Amino acid sequence: MSEMESIALSGAMAVAAAAAAAQLGKPIVQKGCDLIDAALGRPFKVAGGILADEISFWRWKNRLKIAARSRDILDSKKVQVEVLPPSFLLPLLDAAGNVDDPDLAEMWAQLLAGGSQDDCHRHPAFIETLRWMSGEDARFLKRLAGERIPVSAGKLDARDLASAHRLMALSLLDWDWEVTGVLVAMEGDEMGPTDFGKQFIRAVMPDVLAKDISGR
């Protein structure tokens, strides 16, 4: 039985104790537990000896922070937490445990909240794509937002180019660029999200979809 399957079979006290010991504040612990309880449709807890596992301990701290943020998003929109399909919720919680970058954590929280608002946001491709992204990739995608943007030569540094290449590999970014054998920014090039990239942005960054690369 996997860690997430064990979690889904039990109630919330052990997780609350673990998170408190990991120095999360009680409001965050309670909101995170409440969100996961509601999404599972039943109480949960960490089973057996998992609390002795420092890695699992760290992962639960991350999961609860993300779940608490998701609850804040839903509360701000006056949306009730729905019981979510295990095929969506459990892989999401499993992957979210490895996230401590704040920008990535926000994207996971938005995806979890979005799953309670619209079942089109529950697609497994969003979880798998987000699982493969770094915080640097997330910030670069946020800069691009929802439009195709002209890119002048010299405007992207090596780290930007690396993120662009990774986002292209994830089918999130489309780049009209001159075929020179090297991925570089040329005058007249354009880049922007693919159709799948726009769907992904709506699911994980709904508030920035209309912004362009300049941050307007």
Side-chain angles (χ1 to χ4, degrees), residues 5 22 26 37 43 58 77 81-82 109 119 149 161 171 186 201:
E5 288 170 332
K26 185 176 178 181
D37 281 350
W58 175 76
K77 298 178 179 180
V81 181
E82 289 190 12
D119 58 10
I149 302 300
L161 290 171
S171 300
M186 306 289 290
I201 290 169

Side-chain angles (χ1 to χ4, degrees), residues 87-108:
S87 59
F88 170 74
L89 179 63
L90 297 186
L92 188 153
L93 290 176
D94 185 49
N98 296 315
V99 176
D100 59 1
D101 179 273
D103 293 298
L104 278 179
E106 177 66 15
M107 292 168 74
W108 283 105

